[in-house]
Amino acid sequence: MRRRVQAFMAGVATVAVLAGCGGLDARSTSEKDSKADSASVSDARKKLAKLSVKGRAPKTGFDRDKFGPAWSDVDHNGCDTRNDILKRDLVDEKFKSGTHDCIVLSGTLHDPYSGKTINFKRGQDTSTDVQIDHLVPLSDAWQKGAQQWSADKRKQFANDPLNLMAVDGPLNGQKSDSDAATWLPPRKAYRCTYIARQIDVKAKYDVWVTSAEKDAMETVLKDC
């Protein structure tokens, strides 16, 4: 029976794409922990210190399509990325029959951003209750280095589980394409993990930070 990994995490989750039909896996700490562990915080501080600090480039030319078709099956496991993340982050899921447990029809999300429990149900009027957030928004990446990337690298970035998480839909809309200088999760206990994961993503893809963004990240990490 597949091991579920809850998204309601308080430690930094390291997420990787596994080859073949193995799909996604992740490591997380207990829900009871309210802050990232000291080793993860130390690692985040070191990575942040190495990130380039530059001004935000113009948004000119940005288009979602520049990052490939939405929710591609980049790991070739037969499921699109959105359903992969729902399967990873929800609990008590139910799947559409005949889809090899790919299409998630319902489940429960313990939202890391708000701390709320959200009952997800697939449907025209309900699917958006749970959305897949890019921790580092595509528009933010576009203005901080991604304009110069290859199309393949942008596609990988947009579908990388490290940069993706199922969250409360309205909060995801509120966040939009904000960076850490202008938006943080309202649930303060999750901010250490949130910032550490953003730093992991930016370090992996060599996405720079603005000075205001770096200051905001350092402020959060000081309290971790």
Side-chain angles (χ1 to χ4, degrees):
M1 183 174 182
R2 178 179 54 81
R3 180 177 299 172
R4 295 187 178 92
V5 183
Q6 298 182 356
F8 186 46
M9 301 174 293
V12 175
T14 302
V15 187
V17 177
L18 301 182
C21 293
L24 305 175
D25 192 13
R27 290 179 291 132
S28 67
T29 58
S30 168
E31 294 177 14
K32 296 180 180 179
D33 299 331
S34 62
K35 294 185 178 181
D37 63 84
S38 58
S40 298
V41 172
S42 177
D43 184 58
R45 287 173 177 151
K46 290 176 183 178
K47 288 180 179 178
L48 178 58
K50 294 179 181 179
L51 292 179
S52 298
V53 180
K54 303 179 185 180
R56 184 185 291 271
K59 195 175 178 179
T60 307
F62 171 75
D63 190 292
R64 174 62 179 84
D65 291 343
K66 298 284 189 180
F67 290 80
W71 311 130
S72 302
D73 179 17
V74 295
D75 62 351
H76 307 296
N77 71 341
C79 305
D80 65 73
T81 302
R82 173 179 166 79
N83 279 290
D84 274 336
I85 301 302
L86 288 174
K87 189 192 306 189
R88 186 195 72 188
D89 292 351
L90 271 59
V91 296
D92 300 326
E93 312 99 300
K94 289 182 174 58
F95 300 94
K96 185 176 181 179
S97 62
T99 65
H100 303 287
D101 286 357
C102 269
I103 298 180
V104 180
L105 294 179
S106 63
T108 300
L109 174 69
H110 299 294
D111 178 47
Y113 288 175
S114 66
K116 296 190 303 184
T117 296
I118 302 172
N119 294 318
F120 168 78
K121 184 177 181 180
R122 183 183 178 89
Q124 183 175 349
D125 299 322
T126 56
S127 287
T128 56
D129 290 347
V130 173
Q131 297 178 16
I132 308 302
D133 180 37
H134 288 92
L135 278 85
V136 176
L138 303 185
S139 174
D140 182 66
W142 179 260
Q143 296 175 81
K144 297 172 183 175
Q147 293 186 40
Q148 285 73 49
W149 296 352
S150 67
D152 184 65
K153 182 176 179 179
R154 287 196 290 264
K155 182 178 179 180
Q156 290 294 327
F157 178 85
N159 292 277
D160 190 337
L162 179 64
N163 192 34
L164 297 172
M165 191 158 53
V167 300
D168 174 74
L171 278 180
N172 188 45
Q174 180 191 95
K175 173 186 172 180
S176 187
D177 59 357
S178 300
D179 62 20
T182 53
W183 191 89
L184 291 170
R187 179 173 167 252
K188 293 182 179 180
Y190 192 72
R191 290 181 179 178
C192 293
T193 298
Y194 178 78
I195 291 301
R197 284 190 61 177
Q198 280 195 329
I199 292 170
D200 277 347
V201 172
K202 293 210 166 192
K204 179 177 180 179
Y205 288 91
D206 196 25
V207 178
W208 72 71
V209 292
T210 65
S211 58
E213 180 184 10
K214 184 176 181 179
D215 288 345
M217 287 177 161
E218 288 176 336
T219 297
V220 170
L221 292 176
K222 284 178 183 177
D223 294 329
C224 296

